[in-house]
Amino acid sequence: MNPGRLGLAPIVQENPLWISWHDSNWIPVLNPGNVMDYFSEKSNPFYDRTCNNEIVRMQRQSLELLNNMTGVEYILLHVQDPILYVIRKQHRHSPTEATPMADYYIIAGTVYQAPDLASVFNSRILSTVHHLQTAFDEASSYSRYHPSKGYSWDFSSNKAIAEKTKTQTKKEAPVKEEPSSIFQRQRVDMLLGDLLRKFPLPLPQVANNTAGGTGTDINANNNHGGAGSENDHAASDHTIIKQEPSDGSAGRGGNSDAPPEKKMKM
């Protein structure tokens, strides 16, 4: 009877190289003494219920009896505690002869099936053929044929596409400025404070034009008048320095201000 006519889809077995299994309850207490019990869990898809290990386990006997039995069995092949355990599935023919069937490795509590040599070669060859086919397809896209010139190569389209892609990338992903850190801000404030202490800002000078001037202003004006004669004497013959007379406000203690400049009449 054809199952396709009855509408029944054929059962496709999943590739064991693509799956993994783990039990979170066992991972914290996993050790070389209980790793075989961990591998023999019912939910483990890699474990065969018809193996000799299951028979010995149901009879509650020691695993050393497996050497005297024939059939499928599991053994602990390699231990690198606490991260790696390797378990081998083999068919035992006699106490001294066994044929390996598959290897399983447990890394951090997760069980995987190790690929066989044929699967490794197949994967490598398929990957190589895929990359070679991609390279040939890309190279053939640059070839051009002209009846008078023959075959030639044209890479201008590739350059245009590369430049266009680069331009779009720059427009779509602008560079964002990173914000300053607290250390940088404190460091800048400290440097600015040192600069202000070394080079203080000049304070604005306010002129004292009040009527009640101090005695210091009067002395300054007198000294200024006395210094005028010395400046006149020290000047050269071609230069005449003339002291403007002060008004009556100087006698009253006020500041002697120069007369305003005369504006030229147009």
Side-chain angles (χ1 to χ4, degrees):
M1 185 182 300
N2 189 359
R5 294 181 180 179
L6 299 177
L8 299 176
I11 299 176
V12 180
Q13 186 176 3
E14 189 175 3
N15 190 348
L17 299 177
W18 300 346
I19 62 176
S20 62
W21 175 84
H22 72 280
D23 190 348
S24 303
N25 297 326
W26 280 82
I27 293 177
V29 296
L30 197 61
N31 57 64
N34 59 10
V35 66
M36 292 302 297
D37 296 333
Y38 173 66
F39 189 83
S40 303
E41 284 290 323
K42 295 181 180 180
S43 58
N44 184 8
F46 303 110
Y47 184 68
D48 188 2
R49 295 293 171 188
T50 61
C51 65
N52 295 335
N53 298 66
E54 188 69 16
I55 297 174
V56 172
R57 184 182 180 186
M58 293 176 63
Q59 296 177 359
R60 296 182 180 181
Q61 297 180 0
S62 175
L63 294 177
E64 296 178 357
L65 296 176
L66 292 175
N67 296 331
N68 300 325
M69 301 174 66
T70 59
V72 179
E73 64 181 17
Y74 294 91
I75 62 171
L76 183 59
L77 182 64
H78 178 73
V79 175
Q80 188 175 346
D81 194 40
I83 191 68
L84 176 63
Y85 305 94
V86 179
I87 297 176
R88 170 167 291 180
K89 179 182 181 181
Q90 60 186 8
H91 189 280
R92 181 167 294 281
H93 304 284
S94 65
T96 59
E97 184 181 358
T99 303
M101 300 176 61
D103 288 339
Y104 306 93
Y105 56 94
I106 305 174
I107 297 180
T110 305
V111 183
Y112 307 90
Q113 180 173 342
D116 55 310
L117 191 59
S119 300
V120 174
F121 278 135
N122 189 22
S123 176
R124 300 296 184 185
I125 291 174
L126 287 177
S127 178
T128 303
V129 171
H130 170 72
H131 291 301
L132 286 175
Q133 185 64 36
T134 304
F136 281 126
D137 293 341
E138 185 177 358
S140 63
S141 65
Y142 299 138
S143 63
R144 302 291 183 268
Y145 176 76
H146 194 271
S148 60
K149 297 180 180 180
Y151 287 96
S152 61
W153 299 97
D154 184 12
F155 298 99
S156 59
S157 59
N158 186 26
K159 293 181 180 179
I161 293 173
E163 292 178 357
K164 185 177 180 180
T165 305
K166 189 182 295 183
T167 304
Q168 291 178 354
T169 304
K170 290 182 179 180
K171 291 182 179 179
E172 293 177 358
V175 179
K176 295 183 179 180
E177 296 182 359
E178 296 182 358
S180 60
S181 61
I182 299 177
F183 172 76
Q184 292 174 342
R185 290 193 293 270
Q186 292 178 351
R187 186 68 178 174
V188 170
D189 294 341
M190 185 179 68
L191 293 175
L192 291 177
D194 292 341
L195 289 176
L196 286 176
R197 285 191 293 271
K198 292 180 180 179
F199 306 99
L201 297 176
L203 297 177
Q205 297 180 358
V206 180
N208 187 6
N209 295 327
T210 56
T214 60
T216 306
D217 297 335
I218 297 175
N219 295 333
N221 293 332
N222 293 335
N223 294 335
H224 185 269
S229 60
E230 295 177 1
N231 292 335
D232 294 340
H233 185 270
S236 61
D237 298 337
H238 300 284
T239 304
I240 300 174
I241 300 176
K242 193 172 182 181
Q243 184 73 22
E244 295 291 339
S246 60
D247 53 1
S249 61
R252 295 190 301 269
N255 296 332
S256 59
D257 298 330
E261 297 180 357
K262 295 182 179 181
K263 296 183 179 180
M264 184 180 295
K265 296 181 180 181
M266 300 299 296

